[in-house]
Amino acid sequence: MKLAQDMFAHMRAATRNLMGNNLAKGPAAATEAIQQALAAAGLAPQAAATQAPPPMRDINPPPSAAQPQPGATPETPPAPPTPAQAAQEFAQDFMARLGVPAGLGQHSFDMPTFQAPGFNTPGTAPAHLPAGAQFIDGVYRNHAGTRAYKLYIPSSYHGQAMPLVVMLHGCTQNPDDFAAGTQMNALAEEKQCFVVYPAQTQGANSSRCWNWFNALDQQRDQGEPSLIAGIAQQVIDEYPVNEREVFIAGLSAGGAMAVIVGTLYPEVFAAVGVHSGLPFASAQDLPSALAAMKGGAMPNPKRQAPAGGVPIIVFHGDRDTTVNLRNGDELIAQGVRSQAGGKAARAASTDGSVPNGHRYTRTTHSQADGSPLGEYWVIHGAGHAWSGGSDSGSYTDGKGPDASREMLRFFKTVS
């Protein structure tokens, strides 16, 4: 469905009217505000505007037969919905037509469909650990709240300083699932590094998405960026981490948040890895988040990443129907701009393929002296899933290339 260009502006206006003055004026005014937004967006119901909205499901499930609604008896059917309930249901249907699930809270963006359907979604039983390795639980707390995490310590660790990689899972995932799918722990054994997996809570987002689209969660020392950076710092304080080799990476909502955290804390993170994510602060609310995901984040001078960013490696499938490929294009352009500081950057592209797997185009960006600024991997024929991952975790595409291995290789070149 092609949406009108100014649809989201009308949607924002309708939301303000519904939650503010129009709601205070009564359900009729609230309903009228929503209908006006629908009409302006070209999504008006087929029925005439003067007709009452058709019956729709309520935000909460209806009571069971054993628990009739108040005022109802076995002899009399439940009362029809009040005008206020009808207006609320109409608003909910409006959101559903945009792909937004029912029950969306005012300050949370619950996106169970943020991950692409059709991929493996097995259980998340912890994998067998090599002898001497550890995958331990941890907790970090600050003024913004509390987040649990899991830390992988490879069997090769005997007190020496090692790199640290922070891995941010996607929606509906958890540390065990993300570790299994990306196989980053196996690479940590090979490359000798720590890997920490912060865990989003269902209390913060019912689908366990990192809240990359909230204004509070795009600020230094606030919200989730402060929690994620705090987890990294806690591991640095407790283990002999090489502080020049601390990196952050993520998938989907986790990729969008990895960009934010890496941008806000360049003194902590030496580079960022993003898979199927979005540019820095590419949304400030629900309408702009939906617009960015489906149509691609549009460059906006008011939300450009600060100058002096860190090197970035980006992976994106060109068949991704969940997060549009244009987000990857803008993400790498934004990352290179922030580092180049107005100076010319060099770019070189090569095409390749994985045996019995995907073709890809890899574009490298570097400064005049050859220092790496970024890499952009467009994976042809791939959807919204971690490239080269294992089907022991969810949202993976085993056809490659191996995003985990390539990220660690890139991180090594910039440290």
Side-chain angles (χ1 to χ4, degrees), residues 4 17 69 72 120 127 153 168 197 212 225 242 270 285 299 302 317 322 327 364 372-373 386 396 399 411:
N17 290 337
Q69 298 181 18
N120 296 308
I153 305 173
L168 301 181
Y197 301 84
W212 55 275
N242 185 336
D285 51 25
K302 294 183 179 180
T322 302
N327 287 288
T364 60
L373 298 172
W386 190 273
T396 61
K399 292 183 179 180
F411 293 161

Side-chain angles (χ1 to χ4, degrees), residues 7 23 55 80 91-92 113 129 197 248 250 252 294 316 332 367 404:
M7 168 187 153
L23 189 58
Q92 195 66 24
T113 59
L129 296 177
Y197 301 84
I248 186 167
S252 195
K294 297 302 182 183
H316 214 114
I332 190 66
Q367 297 176 344
S404 297

Side-chain angles (χ1 to χ4, degrees), residues 122-129 134-137 149-152 167 169 172-185 196-199 208 390 392-394 396:
T124 56
H128 175 73
L129 296 177
Q134 302 178 70
F135 201 22
I136 61 177
D137 297 310
Y149 61 84
K150 296 199 74 170
L151 173 66
Y152 187 80
M167 293 286 287
H169 62 73
T172 75
Q173 294 182 314
N174 59 39
D176 286 308
D177 180 23
F178 197 41
T182 62
Q183 294 288 281
M184 195 61 82
N185 291 352
V196 65
Y197 301 84
R208 295 194 296 274
S390 166
S392 60
S394 62
T396 61

Side-chain angles (χ1 to χ4, degrees), residues 57-85:
R57 67 183 185 279
D58 199 354
I59 288 177
N60 297 313
S64 64
Q67 296 176 324
Q69 298 181 18
T73 68
E75 292 79 19
T76 60
T82 66
Q85 289 172 331

Side-chain angles (χ1 to χ4, degrees), residues 181-207:
T182 62
Q183 294 288 281
M184 195 61 82
N185 291 352
L187 283 171
E189 282 290 324
E190 178 183 333
K191 304 297 184 182
Q192 298 187 21
C193 62
F194 301 108
V195 187
V196 65
Y197 301 84
Q200 178 64 302
T201 67
Q202 284 193 300
N205 186 292
S206 63
S207 292

